[in-house]
Amino acid sequence: MASTFGTNIKISIFGESHGMGIGVVIDGLPAGEKLDVDALQKEMNRRAPGNDPTATPRRESDIPEICSGILEDTTTGAPLCAVIENANTRSVDYERMSRLPRPGHADYTGAVRYNGFNDVRGGGHFSGRLTAPLTFAGAVCKQILARRGVTIGGHIYAIGNLYDRPFDMLRVHPEDLRRLTQMQFPLNNPAMESQMRALVEQAHSDGDSVGGIVEVAAVGVPAGVGSPMFGGVENVLSSIVFGVPAVKGVEFGAGFNVTRMRGSECNDPFTIEHDKVVTTQNNSGGILGGISSGMPIVMRAAIKPTPSIASKQHTVDLREKRDAILAINGRHDPCIVPRALPAIEAAVAIGIADLMKEVGKL
Amino acid sequence: MASTFGTNIKISIFGESHGMGIGVVIDGLPAGEKLDVDALQKEMNRRAPGNDPTATPRRESDIPEICSGILEDTTTGAPLCAVIENANTRSVDYERMSRLPRPGHADYTGAVRYNGFNDVRGGGHFSGRLTAPLTFAGAVCKQILARRGVTIGGHIYAIGNLYDRPFDMLRVHPEDLRRLTQMQFPLNNPAMESQMRALVEQAHSDGDSVGGIVEVAAVGVPAGVGSPMFGGVENVLSSIVFGVPAVKGVEFGAGFNVTRMRGSECNDPFTIEHDKVVTTQNNSGGILGGISSGMPIVMRAAIKPTPSIASKQHTVDLREKRDAILAINGRHDPCIVPRALPAIEAAVAIGIADLMKEVGKL
Amino acid sequence: MASTFGTNIKISIFGESHGMGIGVVIDGLPAGEKLDVDALQKEMNRRAPGNDPTATPRRESDIPEICSGILEDTTTGAPLCAVIENANTRSVDYERMSRLPRPGHADYTGAVRYNGFNDVRGGGHFSGRLTAPLTFAGAVCKQILARRGVTIGGHIYAIGNLYDRPFDMLRVHPEDLRRLTQMQFPLNNPAMESQMRALVEQAHSDGDSVGGIVEVAAVGVPAGVGSPMFGGVENVLSSIVFGVPAVKGVEFGAGFNVTRMRGSECNDPFTIEHDKVVTTQNNSGGILGGISSGMPIVMRAAIKPTPSIASKQHTVDLREKRDAILAINGRHDPCIVPRALPAIEAAVAIGIADLMKEVGKL
Amino acid sequence: MASTFGTNIKISIFGESHGMGIGVVIDGLPAGEKLDVDALQKEMNRRAPGNDPTATPRRESDIPEICSGILEDTTTGAPLCAVIENANTRSVDYERMSRLPRPGHADYTGAVRYNGFNDVRGGGHFSGRLTAPLTFAGAVCKQILARRGVTIGGHIYAIGNLYDRPFDMLRVHPEDLRRLTQMQFPLNNPAMESQMRALVEQAHSDGDSVGGIVEVAAVGVPAGVGSPMFGGVENVLSSIVFGVPAVKGVEFGAGFNVTRMRGSECNDPFTIEHDKVVTTQNNSGGILGGISSGMPIVMRAAIKPTPSIASKQHTVDLREKRDAILAINGRHDPCIVPRALPAIEAAVAIGIADLMKEVGKL
């Protein structure tokens, strides 16, 4: 099904980019969890548009209104619904969209899927704007996970062909993750920021866009979370992370690099440390046989360049069934990677909360 | 949940490597589908061990016995169950496994998850042997999909650092896929076979193993299959493909390469061809906004090197809580990639069948 | 899971009786369905309080605001969310509830389930008020079903020991159902109204309440909807109908009366009528082996007397762990049956829509 | 979906009455549960045919072969699959069934649902024989529940218009339930047995059949199991109990009798007993707001008379589209109620195990 996720913690996301509002219902949260509403808003602000030159100038305050499921800021166990108003919609930009599908967007496939009734204004339900309620749900899960000793965070691993220093998968520390969360442009090596920004700026001034990679880690997940076959950590996390628009690849631990390793190099040896079973390297990204090993869980997601670009593109006129040229005039992100990061962290948080609840650890 | 997958077509896989048998229940198949039992067996043989020097010498005939759901080789609409006997089990190889977890395997995480009650003989339910019932279920789906014009196939894209010619994502043809299926070592460029085999053989003689990449395509999936957010083609396929042991990464279309592209390069322009909307390149891998575009669906999966290797490895003695050295004496695949290929094709077939049934196209 | 239902059409209900608002997300609706918003409101008004002497005098306008999923009153295929504001909340009535659980209510079991964090004001998420979003979702499904020739309606079959004329299960007609929907006190035999109202009034003046039975029919469901075992029409409808608070029994067709029949009497003989297979009686209530037969689907639900009564009751003080006497001063329905009717019709409509979509008939 | 049930413990049932075999996969069982295989077989024997004059003389040994999920009779946490061979199939009895649908059976609706490809021999997948794997799965759950202090059992509450003494819902005791399980014809008042048997015998000699009611109780379920709305104990139990063929009604606690009560009479007052919150009567059947109260859970299911009767019946010839007369010559149960009892106990056991696992109590 489209816009629902989860087994033990279920989310149901709704809304369109230029409709009245967007939001999420979260069912299955444990009762008695005090929510820090300011911290929730901070997570929302990390994703919100209009705050950074890499992002669209469309401004949205993105203040979620919690309609249900809490009493005195504490979860009641009943479904929590949050609604975010769409304040700043300029539909004029998108008028021709239903006729001239934008390359790289869901305009065409959405029209086929929904017989032309899909709301194309701003991408409708396919819009990246729908990551706002996802980010909210993730922010709620992050707070609950934090009380169980789990910290989730990430950084911009690549923009175009410029790479940040990757996580040391063996030693990534909760403090590192928390520090990254405070940064407007989260990098392990902040010296990369100016080059990366220049790359984005160049693309922008060329009427173009760039993609990149985000790397996210979850530290503190106890061993024994997840299940074999289709209930594994990789299965569950990938199935929610691909819900963030523009993700075209997901990898865990050493990821695609494992394919060039030998077994003797790839296998993470076990040892005893402080009476605990650990590994001396972490190519598995904290997951063996779908189940967490207690080591940091590390994943990467490939983000394609924003498909909305100012340059002219070849498309078709769906009504007249002929080729056409499209120029998109709306406000767009020359690089979506920084705003995708909190959304992907959120997806990881929701997935891990769902899995931990399955084994009675939430 | 662990070993079940699917919404509209549901599979439930059971069995352990060294138990009585393994199998699968498939619920939701359309009624009235004539199954070619010989063709099913041919798919099973592609995955079966003992047939190729890259694979373990353990021989299993892997003949599925269909207990239910068919009458005169035709589906009845009731759940189809197939059981495969485990004939050739040499448990003596695995005696110490519950004490000395094998690096890179689920022995340790499985023991934590199941409080030490998991069957570790041959990896138990975590064994690659469980891809046999998956391959069977996929073979059934492939036959049903073929009648709807959908062909699924793949090739060994990489072994170690040796690469086959990738699919031309715009033009991959059903005939190409069928031809690959007939090959014992499926490559787009068969000239690579000897080098790749030599690489595997070298690893084998070193008591080691190598990984690789498989690339799978589904041709003929109509536009409009899949859903936004969490019900997209990428979400569904990744959630089942990560169920094949040893997969550490999944990508669609240009995959991680999109991260180094600009939008103007990455976006697939639309055009009209024979009155049909198509794209003039296929970086999206046939998926936009989670929904099929009608172009070939192309994905790649990263397969880690077989973790069972002959060389000595560092591990721990779980009973005595101390470091230990492990030497594995069983029969193992120096390279699992060729046998993973039919399993991943099967996973893709099941996922696509599930999605096509959702929109009434199966 | 708690407050979500459905496989092909999914609803997720949220809200508490005395919170900010209540609502529902409906995912999986077909695209292109024009909604008659006035007709939706009429269904809401049938359930709304304050309109009839059998009901609580609490007034709620119950105007659902549709946030998403429609464009120009037509479904887009994206999730439809509707929110209903809670206008009239008098929390003072319920202050002691968390300490003194009301007999017959979920106050005690909810406190155990949610460790005392559940919102007890007005019953919180357990309140009958949550049938408002259910009724809304059902009203949407009813309109979509009507276009497929399916009509759903019902009547008050019993209040206390006073019985209306039951449906003629063989011949219940869409017109009958539509006529009942227009009645404020829907009865097949309107002559019963005054007696029934007198019974309710007597209970009310005694500080007490009465229960009853509703009977609901769905006419026009084609043969072949539903599945064997756990996917049958009875399984699906009962699993949603028991979601209406106060339902303690559900039966289909002749229901519990079948237990006193012989097979020769109970079996519905088949015949050909106008080239169509029909039955000459309908004890099965239109369902054989879980699958619709094309005859009217008829079910009944037993509704317990409203547990909130003015008379003093024995309860316990949960804080002081001692027996206590409770007097409830809030506004309550002396008989919930008339307001339960549209909610149960809605539940049936949602269940049937879900099942019809499964077999491609929605 | 058809033949799968459950969220936290999932079962997938397969097989047809006259196919090779029938069986079940159970996914999600806790690891480390020692199974008493003899006790499992005893439960199977309670349901098996050929053991009592009320039942069909078809003999089936019904010995489940456990293929997976256990090691040394102890659950491993992996899916447990059990297969039961169909030994005694006399298909000659059913040859004309696909043409002449049996009244009261799924022959006609199954043919519509599956386009005539359903296996009609003996009812195929719709056969009461499919309650054998259900009974097996329930027997496994019963043993696991017993270790958590939960006992499940039941009695024949009615055959035709002859009634056994109902459970005292406030005081039903585990010992009572265990004693009933040992009886071939389980009654609270064994003096009713001869009358009931005479009623069945009379129907049999008339070429007819009779229905009845079973009453099942679950004692020891702790308070706080289940969820509001659609995840309640009633929702979950009814959705599995209606999977037992011939069930046409399900009620909990006082059930349909609540409809004739006043609130003051129906509400169960709370009191403190041995420092525990209990109720002084149990009209709610141990369930308030969908959540267990800690009191005995009591439910009843209405079983229709076996539709297969020797007397001639009116049906249609589906091929020639004309009315026809049907005489059924197979072996049938003149009263299915005694054999339905262990199946319904099993359904209740599976449902409760699923719900208890949800809240971490399994």
Side-chain angles (χ1 to χ4, degrees), chain C residues 2 109 113 163 206 208 226-227 230 234-235 239 248 250 252 260 262-264 267 271 284 288 307 313 323, chain D residues 2 109 113 163 206 208-209 226 230 234-235 239 248 250 252 260 262 264 267 271-272 284 288 307 313 323:
Chain C
T109 56
R113 174 73 167 86
Y163 290 82
D206 295 347
D208 216 330
S227 294
F230 313 116
E234 290 120 329
N235 310 64
S239 78
K248 295 302 283 187
V250 167
F252 296 86
R260 287 180 295 272
R262 281 186 155 199
S264 58
N267 286 350
T271 190
S284 76
L288 286 166
Q313 299 182 82
D323 288 1
Chain D
T109 55
R113 175 72 167 86
Y163 290 82
D206 295 347
D208 216 330
S209 63
F230 313 117
E234 289 120 328
N235 310 64
S239 79
K248 295 302 285 185
V250 167
F252 295 86
R260 287 180 295 270
R262 281 188 157 197
S264 58
N267 286 350
T271 190
I272 302 281
S284 76
L288 286 166
Q313 297 182 82
D323 287 2

Side-chain angles (χ1 to χ4, degrees), chain B residues 81-94:
Chain B
C81 177
V83 180
I84 302 161
E85 208 189 335
N86 283 333
N88 190 335
T89 59
R90 297 203 328 220
S91 289
V92 64
D93 294 335
Y94 299 94

Side-chain angles (χ1 to χ4, degrees), chain B residues 67-71 76-79, chain C residues 228-229 289 291, chain D residues 3 13-23 47 58 86 89 91 94-95 97-98 102 105-108 110-111 114 117-133 243 245 308 332:
Chain B
C67 305
S68 67
I70 62 168
L71 194 59
T76 62
Chain C
M229 303 213 76
I291 299 174
Chain D
S3 305
I13 286 181
F14 58 89
E16 291 93 17
S17 179
H18 288 56
M20 278 185 45
I22 55 181
R47 195 217 67 90
R58 170 179 174 173
N86 282 332
T89 59
S91 288
Y94 299 94
E95 258 181 19
M97 289 304 144
S98 61
R102 295 168 298 174
H105 274 285
D107 298 342
Y108 169 64
Y114 298 114
F117 290 102
N118 56 317
D119 180 355
V120 296
R121 299 171 304 157
H125 188 60
F126 294 88
S127 167
R129 180 144 180 71
L130 272 292
T131 58
S308 288
H332 305 290

Side-chain angles (χ1 to χ4, degrees), chain B:
Chain B
M1 282 288 287
S3 305
T4 64
F5 168 84
T7 304
N8 308 288
I9 292 189
K10 287 195 192 221
I11 64 169
S12 182
I13 286 181
F14 57 89
E16 290 92 18
S17 179
H18 288 55
M20 278 186 43
I22 56 181
V24 61
V25 182
I26 318 171
D27 197 359
L29 291 175
E33 298 289 332
K34 184 95 181 176
L35 298 182
D36 177 339
V37 176
D38 288 343
L40 293 177
Q41 188 61 52
K42 264 184 207 151
E43 281 289 296
M44 296 305 289
N45 296 346
R46 291 178 65 204
R47 195 216 67 88
N51 296 325
D52 192 274
T54 60
T56 167
R58 170 178 173 173
R59 294 198 78 88
E60 288 284 359
S61 51
D62 279 0
I63 299 173
E65 184 174 41
I66 303 181
C67 305
S68 67
I70 62 168
L71 194 59
E72 297 171 354
D73 290 349
T74 303
T75 58
T76 62
L80 189 159
C81 177
V83 180
I84 302 161
E85 208 189 335
N86 283 333
N88 190 335
T89 59
R90 297 203 328 220
S91 289
V92 64
D93 294 335
Y94 299 94
E95 260 180 19
R96 294 163 314 157
M97 291 302 143
S98 62
R99 231 173 118 172
L100 303 184
R102 294 169 298 173
H105 273 285
D107 299 342
Y108 169 64
T109 56
V112 176
R113 175 72 167 86
Y114 299 115
N115 298 314
F117 290 102
N118 57 317
D119 180 356
V120 295
R121 299 171 304 157
H125 187 60
F126 293 89
S127 167
R129 180 145 180 71
L130 272 292
T131 57
L134 182 73
T135 300
F136 174 82
V140 169
C141 289
K142 276 182 177 182
Q143 293 192 11
I144 295 173
L145 288 169
R147 280 190 202 110
R148 276 80 175 167
V150 177
T151 309
I152 288 162
H155 67 113
I156 297 165
Y157 174 52
I159 287 185
N161 56 359
L162 298 173
Y163 289 82
D164 186 23
R165 192 174 63 236
F167 281 135
D168 174 348
M169 293 195 287
L170 191 63
R171 292 183 190 85
V172 55
H173 195 273
E175 268 318 308
D176 303 334
L177 301 179
R178 277 190 285 269
R179 188 177 33 75
L180 286 164
T181 305
Q182 309 299 323
M183 298 168 76
Q184 181 161 356
F185 201 91
L187 291 169
N188 284 329
N189 175 12
M192 290 302 295
E193 179 169 350
S194 56
Q195 284 179 71
M196 285 178 166
R197 284 190 179 280
L199 192 78
V200 174
E201 187 42 47
Q202 183 60 52
H204 192 198
S205 64
D206 295 347
D208 216 330
S209 63
V210 288
I213 302 175
V214 300
E215 186 177 47
V216 172
V219 178
V221 178
V225 174
S227 293
M229 303 214 75
F230 313 117
V233 177
E234 289 120 331
N235 310 64
V236 170
L237 293 190
S238 68
S239 80
I240 183 166
V241 167
F242 275 116
V244 176
V247 173
K248 295 303 285 186
V250 168
E251 62 175 20
F252 296 86
F256 274 84
N257 282 340
V258 296
T259 69
R260 287 180 294 271
M261 294 179 184
R262 281 187 156 198
S264 57
E265 177 189 3
C266 182
N267 286 349
D268 303 324
F270 290 108
T271 189
I272 303 281
E273 205 177 86
H274 307 304
D275 238 36
K276 226 182 108 187
V277 177
V278 297
T279 57
T280 58
Q281 58 182 30
N282 190 18
N283 284 324
S284 76
I287 309 161
L288 285 166
I291 299 175
S292 64
S293 67
M295 303 303 292
I297 292 175
V298 182
M299 61 82 63
R300 263 157 255 106
I303 315 286
K304 72 178 181 183
T306 325
S308 289
I309 54 176
S311 304
K312 288 197 169 137
Q313 297 182 84
H314 290 276
T315 186
V316 291
D317 183 317
L318 289 175
R319 203 191 305 161
E320 304 193 0
K321 283 269 184 178
R322 56 165 178 76
D323 287 1
I325 296 294
L326 174 72
I328 304 178
N329 298 312
R331 302 155 297 176
H332 304 290
D333 302 74
C335 180
I336 201 73
V337 178
R339 293 179 61 208
L341 176 59
I344 289 173
E345 291 175 26
V348 169
I350 297 163
I352 285 179
D354 189 35
L355 287 164
M356 284 182 62
K357 194 171 176 203
E358 186 190 5
V359 293
K361 291 185 172 161
L362 199 81

